[in-house]
Amino acid sequence: MPVIALLMDKDGRRYQGVRLASGQELSSPQLILAPSFTIPTTSPPAVEVKNSNDKSPSDAERKVARGICIAKNSVKSEAANCLVFFPPRSLYPEQITSVRVLQLSSNVGVCPSKTFVTYLSAVCDDAVEGKKLLNAAINALFSMAVSSSPENNEIDNSSEHTEEKPCLLWSALYIHDLTKFHGLYDSIRFTPMPDEHLHYDDILDATEKLFKELFPNEDFFAMTSTSEEHLDDGNTELDP
């Protein structure tokens, strides 16, 4: 059941629970929200929760542009899985941030046989800059441009490889705010969005931090003893 509002105290400073779409009110000591949700700064006793793609709860000033591409061949003929970096000014003179590219093949189970999936990411100030960065990298790696937008026409063709480039079968680009783990009030937490890196270590660190705040006396990914594993598997033998 969707949550439509948060329940606050009379002063609007302390979180007390949530109101569901059915009208039912549930009390809870803690609440974890996705970064796309927004809460007004001045909170009445019942605060409407909104899902917004335009503004993050932390008012992040920078964004991350991400792209996903599927191709028939590898961007490097001698490598099935590889990591590529486009440093500043390597794609066009005005490029000020690096573009990270990770290619994975079907042998790691992420795409159909005889295809390759490529992930791209770059930090940007706005969607226009982000799309220009990714389109420039895609044009340098693949033989088919993603779009014929005006910003693509400004890209310097000198960044293209002289060797034959793989054919692009499908691609998608999207932009999200660069948010970090943070708390709102004492009982409400927002989870972060991934940063520009491709290893997602920041998400794991934020998850561990959030877990320790909610459960300070519990171990994060506690080790399981051998005897407990046997009990879970149902392989424990009883003495006659």
Side-chain angles (χ1 to χ4, degrees), residues 33-46:
L33 294 176
S36 59
F37 286 91
T38 58
I39 298 176
T41 304
T42 303
S43 302

Side-chain angles (χ1 to χ4, degrees), residues 71-76 103 114-116 118 142 165-167:
K72 290 182 178 180
N73 304 104
S74 173
V75 296
K76 290 292 183 181
Q103 176 190 271
K114 298 181 180 180
T115 59
F116 298 81
T118 302
F142 302 102
K165 294 181 288 187
C167 178

